[in-house]
Amino acid sequence: MEVDGSCHCGRITYRAVVDPAKASICHCTDCQTLSGSPYRSSVQAPAATFRLLTGQPKIYIKTAESGTKRAHGFCADCGAPVYATSVTEPQAYSLRIGALRQRAALAPRRQIWCRSALPWSASLASLPGVERQ
Ligand SMILES: [Zn+2]
Ligand SMILES: [Zn+2]
């Protein structure tokens, strides 16, 4: 499936081909902190399909508890997270679903790091809701 995305200010735009079956949610504490959200939703794109169209992401190298390093690309102007990939040889880009125009069609198929999932993050459907603020 072809997707295209943009950071919030629009400086960084990109295009890729993703497999919707690889859309997932990560509940790890790094994703919570880096996304500022209870969990992060991402979908994998093979590196060969990823094309940066405009802008240049700033890279933050994250070192996981395991020692694994990941390059996190984000917009230095608006702060929006764009992707994560390998530091040395990118084979795939983990695109942040919330920044993709096709996000409504990319429902997550699995969740990882459930052991650190916030206890309230799975029960949003029962909260009272309004269309706008
Ligand atoms: Zn931006
Ligand atoms: Zn994570």
Side-chain angles (χ1 to χ4, degrees), residues 26-28 31 113:
C26 182
H27 293 281
C28 83
C31 282
W113 286 98

Side-chain angles (χ1 to χ4, degrees), residues 20-111:
K22 299 229 170 98
S24 67
I25 280 176
C26 182
H27 293 281
C28 83
T29 54
D30 285 344
C31 282
Q32 290 170 354
T33 305
L34 284 162
S35 69
S37 291
Y39 51 79
R40 165 142 48 205
S41 53
S42 308
V43 64
Q44 297 285 329
T49 72
F50 181 77
R51 292 275 174 278
L52 199 56
L53 302 175
T54 61
Q56 192 61 51
K58 184 170 170 58
I59 305 297
Y60 169 65
I61 307 289
K62 186 201 87 167
T63 305
E65 215 178 274
S66 62
T68 303
K69 292 184 188 311
R70 295 274 287 167
H72 286 248
F74 65 97
C75 177
D77 291 300
C78 70
V82 173
Y83 64 70
T85 190
S86 155
V87 173
T88 48
E89 265 178 63
Q91 306 281 322
Y93 284 77
S94 179
L95 302 180
R96 302 344 194 171
I97 288 176
L100 298 175
R101 194 163 55 88
Q102 295 79 7
R103 56 190 174 266
L106 291 164
R109 307 287 178 93
R110 65 192 282 257
Q111 315 181 57

Side-chain angles (χ1 to χ4, degrees), residues 7-12 75-80:
C7 67
H8 191 265
C9 75
R11 196 167 190 157
I12 297 172
C75 177
D77 291 300
C78 70

